[in-house]
Amino acid sequence: MIRVLIADDHPVVRQGLRTFLDLQDDITVVGEAGDGAQAVELVGELSPDVLLLDLKMPVLDGLGTLERLAGSATRVVVLTSVSDRSDVGPAMRAGASGFLYKDVDPTALVQAVRTVHGGQVLLAPEAAEAMLSAPDGPPPAPLTDREREVLALIAAGRSNREIARSLAVAEKTVKTHVSNVLMKLGVQDRTQAALYAVRHGLG
């Protein structure tokens, strides 16, 4: 069962999301927060698997909430009505695993919760386009064929142990490949590597 916390300052939005999500056999809503500070508190108390997080909230906004939750095991999906594409990059860098808009189809939202819970990164098409249009840095060093395989598996949300099993190599070897991939791409973590893979069709 995927345990979900909803953080939005509009009670009607929270109720609508809860009603639909609770209809799913594999999802249960464990709590609701009306502002970012309450969301941080409830994540600590309830340890939800996934947090649906609005960006524009009182007391503590979405980005502030993400920063407070750094290091938490809870996966965060930003769900916002704000159309400002400049929010996408900061939200993903602050630790979000997904970025969707509130006009998303309910079925797609449910699938997004499952996808992010499974360890993958998910962006609405408009959000992905915003990431793609961000200024590029210097071109990365070329990846070896094995490093490209590892990158594709990172993009699929696989852990080092799962990658080792898939490629029939030692987990220590995978760690070395992952480090090399991050260094060559000039990214700091697996999430950024996964975004790079999606951006360049390597996932």
Side-chain angles (χ1 to χ4, degrees), residues 59-171:
V59 185
L60 184 67
D61 66 10
L63 290 178
T65 302
L66 281 165
E67 290 167 2
R68 294 274 189 92
L69 293 176
S72 168
T74 297
R75 308 273 289 175
V76 181
V77 177
V78 170
L79 186 61
T80 181
S81 58
V82 179
S83 59
D84 187 352
R85 295 186 175 190
S86 66
D87 287 325
V88 181
M92 299 305 291
R93 286 191 292 273
S97 299
F99 197 105
L100 298 172
Y101 297 99
K102 287 182 180 176
D103 60 359
V104 66
D105 180 81
T107 304
L109 174 61
V110 169
Q111 189 55 47
V113 169
R114 293 172 179 147
T115 298
V116 168
H117 177 252
Q120 295 176 259
V121 176
L122 188 139
L123 298 172
E126 302 92 335
E129 187 178 334
M131 292 292 290
L132 292 177
S133 62
D136 283 323
L143 301 180
T144 65
D145 288 343
R146 178 46 59 92
E147 287 166 353
R148 289 171 68 92
E149 288 181 297
V150 170
L151 177 58
L153 290 167
I154 290 174
R158 304 288 179 81
S159 67
N160 284 355
R161 180 173 297 178
E162 290 169 330
I163 293 173
R165 191 179 304 124
S166 177
L167 299 179
V169 297
E171 190 171 346

Side-chain angles (χ1 to χ4, degrees), residues 177-191:
H177 286 316
V178 171
S179 295
N180 289 340
V181 168
L182 298 184
M183 180 182 67
K184 287 185 175 182
L185 297 183
V187 298
Q188 296 180 338
D189 55 39
R190 298 169 78 95
T191 298

Side-chain angles (χ1 to χ4, degrees), residues 3-22 27-36 38-40 42-43 46 48-54 57 65 74-77 79 102 109 113:
R3 304 169 73 253
V4 175
L5 174 67
I6 300 169
D8 195 290
D9 59 335
H10 295 291
V12 174
V13 173
R14 296 199 304 270
Q15 183 58 47
L17 290 170
R18 173 186 279 274
T19 298
F20 187 78
L21 291 173
D22 276 341
I27 296 175
T28 183
V29 176
V30 295
E32 300 177 18
D35 61 61
Q38 187 182 14
V40 172
L42 288 177
V43 166
L46 302 173
D49 298 307
V50 177
L51 167 63
L52 294 180
L53 178 68
D54 190 16
M57 290 188 296
T65 302
T74 297
R75 308 273 289 175
V76 181
V77 177
L79 186 61
K102 287 182 180 176
L109 174 61
V113 169

